[in-house]
């Protein structure tokens, strides 16, 4: 691709999105620039504190359990009280709890505070995803989710390598830095991001919520009875279980093989850098393609990308395997987010996004326990083989689940509610 073509692709990818989206994008970027705990917790506990891989897995699992607890509650809050208040509460709580975690020394205290960090840090996800769906028209949502994911990894690419070197000297500095960055995110949201719930958006434009009054009384039971959507949630859990190994299984395995935290930081930074470089051109490529095929291919790449880690013995080879599953991330994340929005009623997006977020939070709970036990008792090779099997299972699941899926903009039956992918009242003011 020539430089002119790349510039044209970049301009077409970023143009035409609402101003509110870009402030939300900025908040996401700043948040990921300060990311430290989720990435380096396993190394902090095993290398700096001297705990076993099983204890590191337990703490990471408690961090995930906090996310499980908050996912559905945060989704309900986003629908009842608004996206913006939910994000503000979550971000301020995260800043405080991360700072406190850096000063904890007793193993029970570390585990307890890690639970609260997981609970608060995960609480903003349903609100962010629901807000993107609120303010971005249906035809641009895959592009918007891609750009948001790009912001996550742009920040991650910058922070991971630098944080790895910071960890060589002071893990506490990493905790405090993340707390300050998260607090700044809350300031951006407070100053620049308006509320976007469909009811309030309709009030601003003077239009009725064309999604229909049937959507006003969406309950968690409605979500649970939505068979196709819950199938998506189940497959999302399987995919998330695979991707989580990049942050729980991989650092422990590299540490066991004698690599340092800076080695891991250098290797995992490839993930963020590759997404930063490829996300925009890949977004152009996938925007109008069959989502079922994209999800099947990305599932196989994820599973077998991690499977190849069994053959890694140097930082360069680890980085090469990361390249494989990173391509899966680039494709899977925006396509799956777009699918979730397509299946969600407008006035129930917070709850639907909360249930979707729950799949990732549950994976964050299970993955550390799984990786710690498998590595301690069987070796890392078994873990990577399991990832390959899970990727195959997910690919088969998407092939079956997405047959006869209507295109965006077409009304579909979601359990006991009628889902309209693009109500007129959702257009940004």
């Amino acid at each position: 691709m020539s430089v002119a073509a790349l510039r044209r692709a970049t301009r077409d990818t970023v143009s035409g999105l609402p101003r509110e989206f870009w402030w939300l994008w900025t908040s996401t970027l700043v948040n990921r620039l300060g990311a430290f705990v989720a990435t380096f917790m396993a190394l902090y506990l095993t290398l700096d504190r001297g705990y076993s891989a099983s204890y590191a897995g337990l703490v990471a699992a408690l961090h995930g359990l906090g996310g499980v607890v908050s996912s559905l509650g945060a989704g309900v809050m986003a629908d009842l009280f608004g996206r913006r208040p939910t994000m503000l509460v979550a971000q301020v709580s995260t800043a405080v709890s991360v700072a406190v975690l850096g000063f904890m020394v007793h193993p029970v205290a570390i585990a307890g505070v890690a639970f609260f960090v997981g609970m608060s840090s995960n609480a903003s996800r349903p609100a962010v995803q629901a807000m993107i769906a609120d303010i971005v028209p249906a035809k641009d949502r895959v592009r918007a989710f891609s750009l948001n994911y790009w912001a996550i990894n742009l920040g991650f690419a910058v922070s991971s390598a630098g944080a790895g070197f910071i960890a060589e000297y002071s893990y506490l500095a990493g905790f405090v830095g993340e707390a300050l960055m998260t607090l700044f995110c809350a300031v951006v949201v407070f100053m620049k991001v308006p509320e976007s719930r469909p009811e309030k958006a309709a009030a601003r434009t003077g239009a009725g919520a064309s999604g229909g009054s049937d959507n006003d009384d969406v309950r968690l039971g409605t979500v649970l009875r939505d068979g196709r959507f819950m199938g998506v949630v189940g497959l999302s859990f399987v995919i998330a279980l695979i991707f989580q190994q990049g942050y729980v299984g991989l650092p422990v395995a590299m540490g066991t093989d004698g690599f340092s935290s800076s080695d891991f930081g250098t290797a995992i930074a490839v993930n963020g850098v590759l997404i930063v470089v490829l996300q925009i051109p890949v977004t152009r490529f996938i925007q109008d393609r069959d989502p079922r095929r994209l999800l099947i291919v990305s599932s196989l790449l994820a599973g077998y990308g991690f499977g190849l880690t069994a053959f890694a013995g140097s930082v360069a080879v680890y980085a090469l395997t990361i390249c494989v599953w990173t391509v899966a991330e680039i494709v899977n994340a925006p396509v799956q987010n777009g699918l979730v929005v397509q299946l969600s009623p407008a006035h129930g997006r917070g709850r639907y996004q909360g249930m979707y977020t729950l799949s990732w939070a549950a994976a964050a709970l299970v993955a550390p326990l799984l990786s710690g036990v498998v590595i301690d008792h069987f070796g890392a090779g078994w873990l990577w083989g399991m990832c390959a099997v899970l990727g195959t299972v997910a690919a088969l699941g998407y092939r079956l689940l997405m047959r006869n899926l209507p295109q965006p903009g077409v009304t579909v039956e979601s359990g006991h509610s009628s889902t309209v992918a693009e109500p007129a009242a959702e257009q940004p003011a």
Side-chain angles (χ1 to χ4, degrees):
M1 180 181 287
S2 66
V3 174
L6 181 60
R7 287 177 178 173
R8 185 168 56 253
T10 302
R11 183 176 62 251
D12 292 343
T13 300
V14 303
S15 63
L17 294 172
R19 180 180 57 187
E20 294 86 350
F21 168 80
W22 288 112
W23 282 115
L24 195 61
W25 184 91
T26 301
S27 175
T28 298
L29 174 64
V30 173
N31 180 270
R32 294 305 294 174
L33 283 171
F36 184 84
V37 172
T39 306
F40 288 92
M41 177 61 78
L43 286 174
Y44 168 65
L45 294 174
T46 54
L47 297 183
D48 188 68
R49 293 292 183 178
Y51 293 112
S52 67
S54 295
Y55 174 77
L58 173 64
V59 172
L62 287 171
H63 183 275
L65 178 61
V68 170
V69 171
S70 68
S71 294
L72 295 181
V76 173
M77 283 181 61
D79 281 342
L80 292 180
F81 305 112
R83 308 353 180 172
R84 184 170 176 266
T86 303
M87 281 189 282
L88 289 172
V89 171
Q91 289 168 346
V92 173
S93 299
T94 300
V96 174
S97 57
V98 165
V100 171
L101 180 61
F103 292 94
M104 294 296 99
V105 294
H106 193 279
V108 175
I110 291 173
V113 177
F115 169 81
F116 286 104
V117 172
M119 187 166 62
S120 57
S121 62
N122 196 64
S124 64
R125 288 184 61 183
V128 170
Q129 292 166 340
M131 180 173 280
I132 291 174
D134 292 339
I135 64 180
V136 176
K139 64 184 179 63
D140 295 323
R141 283 181 190 145
V142 169
R143 183 159 61 99
F145 282 120
S146 290
L147 288 168
N148 192 64
Y149 193 66
W150 186 54
I152 291 171
N153 287 280
L154 177 61
F156 180 73
V158 174
S159 69
S160 58
F165 289 104
I166 290 173
E168 292 284 320
Y169 298 98
S170 172
Y171 280 94
L172 178 60
F175 287 107
V176 173
E178 177 169 349
L180 292 175
M181 288 287 195
T182 307
L183 192 61
F184 183 74
C185 291
V187 173
V188 171
V189 171
F190 180 77
M191 298 293 294
K192 296 294 185 179
V193 180
E195 183 52 62
S196 69
R197 275 191 302 173
E199 296 90 342
K200 294 190 177 183
R204 286 198 303 268
T205 59
S210 63
S213 60
D214 290 342
N215 287 334
D216 291 343
D217 60 351
V218 171
R219 299 286 188 267
L220 287 177
T222 307
V223 183
L224 292 171
R225 290 190 297 271
D226 189 335
R228 193 195 293 268
F229 179 78
M230 291 306 297
V232 171
V233 170
L235 292 174
S236 173
F237 169 77
V238 175
I239 290 296
L241 198 62
I242 298 171
F243 285 133
Q244 282 291 324
Q245 300 309 324
Y247 310 100
V248 291
L250 185 61
V252 172
M254 290 186 69
T256 302
D257 287 343
F259 294 99
S260 67
S261 60
S262 60
D263 290 331
F264 169 68
T266 299
I268 200 64
V270 172
N271 171 262
V273 170
L274 199 61
I275 292 175
V276 169
V277 172
L278 294 182
Q279 189 72 64
I280 288 179
V282 169
T283 296
R284 293 272 296 171
F285 177 79
I286 69 175
Q287 188 165 357
D288 298 317
R289 297 186 181 271
D290 182 358
R292 183 175 70 164
R293 292 183 180 179
L294 294 173
L295 290 171
I296 290 172
V297 171
S298 64
S299 299
L300 293 173
L301 284 175
Y304 288 94
F306 275 99
L308 290 172
T309 310
F311 304 100
S314 66
V315 174
V317 178
Y318 276 114
L320 183 62
T321 65
I322 290 170
C323 289
V324 177
W325 57 260
T326 294
V327 174
E329 275 195 277
I330 293 172
V331 174
N332 182 272
V335 175
Q336 189 157 250
N337 272 307
L339 176 61
V340 169
V341 173
Q342 183 182 346
L343 297 175
S344 305
H347 298 287
R349 279 184 181 141
R351 290 172 173 86
Y352 270 72
Q353 290 289 350
M355 185 63 72
Y356 171 62
T357 300
L358 178 63
S359 67
W360 284 84
L365 168 63
V366 174
L369 295 174
L370 178 67
S371 62
V373 171
V374 172
I375 290 173
D376 279 347
H377 294 89
F378 302 102
W382 281 86
L383 179 65
W384 309 131
M386 290 172 60
C387 288
V389 172
L390 290 173
T392 304
V393 170
L396 292 173
Y398 281 119
R399 181 179 177 83
L400 294 173
L401 183 69
M402 295 184 64
R403 287 182 298 184
N404 303 318
L405 181 70
Q407 294 300 311
V410 177
T411 301
V412 299
E413 291 298 322
S414 293
H416 293 268
S417 64
S418 178
T419 300
V420 181
E422 182 59 18
E426 294 171 46
Q427 301 298 323

Short mmCIF file of all heavy atoms in Angstrom, two decimals, residues 1-16 143 280-281 283-284 287:
data_model
loop_
_atom_site.label_atom_id
_atom_site.label_comp_id
_atom_site.label_asym_id
_atom_site.label_seq_id
_atom_site.Cartn_x
_atom_site.Cartn_y
_atom_site.Cartn_z
N MET A 1 0.85 -1.20 0.00
CA MET A 1 0.00 0.00 0.00
C MET A 1 0.88 1.25 0.00
O MET A 1 1.78 1.38 0.82
CB MET A 1 -0.90 0.01 1.24
CG MET A 1 -1.82 1.22 1.32
SD MET A 1 -2.87 1.23 2.80
CE MET A 1 -4.03 -0.07 2.38
N SER A 2 0.63 2.17 -0.94
CA SER A 2 1.41 3.39 -1.02
C SER A 2 1.07 4.32 0.13
O SER A 2 0.06 4.16 0.82
CB SER A 2 1.13 4.10 -2.35
OG SER A 2 -0.21 4.56 -2.39
N VAL A 3 1.95 5.33 0.31
CA VAL A 3 1.71 6.30 1.39
C VAL A 3 0.41 7.06 1.14
O VAL A 3 -0.38 7.29 2.07
CB VAL A 3 2.91 7.28 1.48
CG1 VAL A 3 2.60 8.37 2.49
CG2 VAL A 3 4.18 6.54 1.86
N ALA A 4 0.15 7.41 -0.12
CA ALA A 4 -1.08 8.15 -0.45
C ALA A 4 -2.30 7.29 -0.17
O ALA A 4 -3.31 7.77 0.37
CB ALA A 4 -1.05 8.58 -1.90
N ALA A 5 -2.22 6.01 -0.53
CA ALA A 5 -3.35 5.11 -0.28
C ALA A 5 -3.58 4.92 1.20
O ALA A 5 -4.72 4.84 1.67
CB ALA A 5 -3.10 3.76 -0.96
N LEU A 6 -2.47 4.83 1.97
CA LEU A 6 -2.59 4.68 3.41
C LEU A 6 -3.23 5.91 4.04
O LEU A 6 -4.08 5.80 4.92
CB LEU A 6 -1.21 4.41 4.04
CG LEU A 6 -1.18 4.20 5.55
CD1 LEU A 6 -2.03 3.00 5.94
CD2 LEU A 6 0.26 4.01 6.04
N ARG A 7 -2.84 7.08 3.56
CA ARG A 7 -3.43 8.32 4.08
C ARG A 7 -4.93 8.38 3.75
O ARG A 7 -5.74 8.79 4.58
CB ARG A 7 -2.73 9.53 3.47
CG ARG A 7 -1.33 9.78 4.02
CD ARG A 7 -0.67 10.95 3.32
NE ARG A 7 0.65 11.23 3.87
CZ ARG A 7 1.50 12.11 3.35
NH1 ARG A 7 1.14 12.82 2.29
NH2 ARG A 7 2.68 12.30 3.90
N ARG A 8 -5.28 7.96 2.54
CA ARG A 8 -6.68 7.96 2.15
C ARG A 8 -7.49 6.98 2.99
O ARG A 8 -8.60 7.28 3.44
CB ARG A 8 -6.81 7.62 0.66
CG ARG A 8 -8.24 7.72 0.13
CD ARG A 8 -8.29 7.67 -1.38
NE ARG A 8 -7.66 6.49 -1.92
CZ ARG A 8 -6.47 6.47 -2.55
NH1 ARG A 8 -5.78 7.59 -2.69
NH2 ARG A 8 -5.98 5.34 -3.01
N ALA A 9 -6.91 5.80 3.24
CA ALA A 9 -7.59 4.80 4.07
C ALA A 9 -7.76 5.30 5.50
O ALA A 9 -8.81 5.11 6.12
CB ALA A 9 -6.80 3.49 4.06
N THR A 10 -6.73 5.99 5.99
CA THR A 10 -6.81 6.53 7.35
C THR A 10 -7.88 7.60 7.45
O THR A 10 -8.68 7.62 8.39
CB THR A 10 -5.45 7.11 7.77
OG1 THR A 10 -4.45 6.09 7.70
CG2 THR A 10 -5.51 7.67 9.19
N ARG A 11 -7.92 8.50 6.45
CA ARG A 11 -8.92 9.56 6.45
C ARG A 11 -10.33 9.00 6.36
O ARG A 11 -11.23 9.42 7.09
CB ARG A 11 -8.66 10.52 5.28
CG ARG A 11 -9.61 11.71 5.23
CD ARG A 11 -9.26 12.67 4.11
NE ARG A 11 -9.36 12.05 2.80
CZ ARG A 11 -8.32 11.74 2.03
NH1 ARG A 11 -7.09 11.99 2.46
NH2 ARG A 11 -8.49 11.16 0.85
N ASP A 12 -10.53 8.01 5.51
CA ASP A 12 -11.86 7.41 5.39
C ASP A 12 -12.27 6.67 6.65
O ASP A 12 -13.46 6.60 6.99
CB ASP A 12 -11.87 6.42 4.20
CG ASP A 12 -11.74 7.12 2.86
OD1 ASP A 12 -11.95 8.35 2.81
OD2 ASP A 12 -11.40 6.44 1.87
N THR A 13 -11.29 6.12 7.37
CA THR A 13 -11.59 5.35 8.59
C THR A 13 -11.96 6.25 9.75
O THR A 13 -12.85 5.91 10.55
CB THR A 13 -10.40 4.46 8.97
OG1 THR A 13 -10.11 3.57 7.90
CG2 THR A 13 -10.70 3.64 10.23
N VAL A 14 -11.33 7.40 9.87
CA VAL A 14 -11.55 8.25 11.04
C VAL A 14 -12.55 9.37 10.81
O VAL A 14 -12.97 10.02 11.77
CB VAL A 14 -10.21 8.87 11.53
CG1 VAL A 14 -9.19 7.79 11.84
CG2 VAL A 14 -9.64 9.85 10.49
N SER A 15 -12.97 9.59 9.58
CA SER A 15 -13.86 10.73 9.31
C SER A 15 -15.31 10.37 9.58
O SER A 15 -15.71 9.21 9.54
CB SER A 15 -13.70 11.17 7.85
OG SER A 15 -14.10 10.14 6.97
N GLY A 16 -16.10 11.42 9.86
CA GLY A 16 -17.55 11.25 9.94
C GLY A 16 -18.09 10.75 11.26
O GLY A 16 -19.30 10.54 11.38
N ARG A 143 -16.48 0.27 12.48
CA ARG A 143 -15.36 1.21 12.37
C ARG A 143 -15.08 1.88 13.71
O ARG A 143 -13.92 2.01 14.13
CB ARG A 143 -15.71 2.25 11.31
CG ARG A 143 -14.64 3.25 11.01
CD ARG A 143 -14.87 3.88 9.65
NE ARG A 143 -16.13 4.59 9.55
CZ ARG A 143 -16.26 5.90 9.67
NH1 ARG A 143 -15.20 6.64 9.91
NH2 ARG A 143 -17.43 6.48 9.54
N ILE A 280 -6.14 0.06 11.30
CA ILE A 280 -6.84 0.89 10.31
C ILE A 280 -6.96 0.19 8.96
O ILE A 280 -8.07 0.08 8.41
CB ILE A 280 -6.16 2.27 10.19
CG1 ILE A 280 -6.45 3.09 11.45
CG2 ILE A 280 -6.66 3.00 8.95
CD1 ILE A 280 -5.81 4.46 11.45
N PRO A 281 -5.88 -0.35 8.37
CA PRO A 281 -6.06 -1.05 7.10
C PRO A 281 -6.93 -2.30 7.22
O PRO A 281 -7.72 -2.60 6.30
CB PRO A 281 -4.64 -1.41 6.66
CG PRO A 281 -3.79 -1.23 7.86
CD PRO A 281 -4.45 -0.21 8.70
N THR A 283 -9.38 -2.72 9.35
CA THR A 283 -10.76 -2.23 9.49
C THR A 283 -11.37 -1.97 8.11
O THR A 283 -12.53 -2.32 7.86
CB THR A 283 -10.79 -0.95 10.33
OG1 THR A 283 -10.35 -1.26 11.66
CG2 THR A 283 -12.20 -0.38 10.40
N ARG A 284 -10.62 -1.34 7.23
CA ARG A 284 -11.09 -1.12 5.87
C ARG A 284 -11.41 -2.44 5.18
O ARG A 284 -12.38 -2.55 4.43
CB ARG A 284 -10.03 -0.35 5.07
CG ARG A 284 -9.81 1.06 5.55
CD ARG A 284 -10.74 2.01 4.88
NE ARG A 284 -10.49 2.07 3.44
CZ ARG A 284 -11.27 2.70 2.58
NH1 ARG A 284 -12.36 3.31 3.00
NH2 ARG A 284 -10.99 2.72 1.28
N GLN A 287 -14.74 -4.28 7.00
CA GLN A 287 -15.95 -3.53 7.30
C GLN A 287 -17.20 -4.09 6.61
O GLN A 287 -18.27 -4.14 7.19
CB GLN A 287 -15.77 -2.06 6.95
CG GLN A 287 -16.92 -1.18 7.41
CD GLN A 287 -16.57 0.30 7.37
OE1 GLN A 287 -15.45 0.67 7.04
NE2 GLN A 287 -17.52 1.15 7.70
#
